[in-house]
Amino acid sequence: MTLPLIGLYILTYTLYRNGRIRRSFHVNLWNLIILIAFLISGIGGFVLLLLLENGIRFSLNSQLLYWHVEAGLALVVVTVFHFHCYTGSLNRILGVGR
């Protein structure tokens, strides 16, 4: 899951740098992807926790765990992209370059 995300980021970043898409589209796309990854990972983890605490076992538990972990890994990778998009803001907040 992480390699396609890295490839997609490189593609959208290249399109942005070459003027094919706007920076706002590039940033908004990745903000949407980070939101989706967060929701899948967070909701999946919460449902798994509820099932575990109540001793409920379904055949879907392993699938839910798989997608929870995949979304978590995607969330880590997309967070790095998020920091890359907001490097200027992050530097101002941290006081870097003053």
Side-chain angles (χ1 to χ4, degrees), residues 47-95:
V47 169
L48 283 169
L49 177 69
L50 289 175
L51 293 174
L52 181 66
E53 287 294 319
N54 293 312
I56 301 170
R57 292 195 172 267
F58 286 117
S59 59
L60 294 177
N61 284 14
S62 60
Q63 283 295 318
L64 187 57
L65 178 63
Y66 173 81
W67 286 109
H68 167 69
V69 171
E70 284 291 317
L73 291 172
L75 188 60
V76 169
V77 172
V78 177
T79 299
V80 172
F81 300 156
H82 189 76
F83 286 144
H84 181 255
C85 289
Y86 291 104
T87 303
S89 300
L90 190 60
N91 287 343
R92 282 191 298 277
I93 291 169
L94 297 176

Side-chain angles (χ1 to χ4, degrees), residues 2-81:
T2 56
L3 288 178
L5 284 175
I6 292 170
L8 183 61
Y9 185 81
I10 291 171
L11 175 68
T12 60
Y13 185 72
T14 303
L15 291 174
Y16 152 65
R17 295 295 289 183
N18 290 334
R20 302 268 185 201
I21 61 173
R22 293 185 181 148
R23 182 181 189 280
S24 61
F25 177 80
H26 171 71
V27 170
N28 288 336
L29 173 68
W30 288 99
N31 284 342
L32 177 65
I33 292 172
I34 200 170
L35 173 69
I36 292 168
F38 173 76
L39 289 175
I40 292 171
S41 183
I43 292 170
F46 187 70
V47 169
L48 283 169
L49 177 69
L50 289 175
L51 293 174
L52 181 66
E53 287 294 319
N54 293 312
I56 301 170
R57 292 195 172 267
F58 286 117
S59 59
L60 294 177
N61 284 14
S62 60
Q63 283 295 318
L64 187 57
L65 178 63
Y66 173 81
W67 286 109
H68 167 69
V69 171
E70 284 291 317
L73 291 172
L75 188 60
V76 169
V77 172
V78 177
T79 299
V80 172
F81 300 156

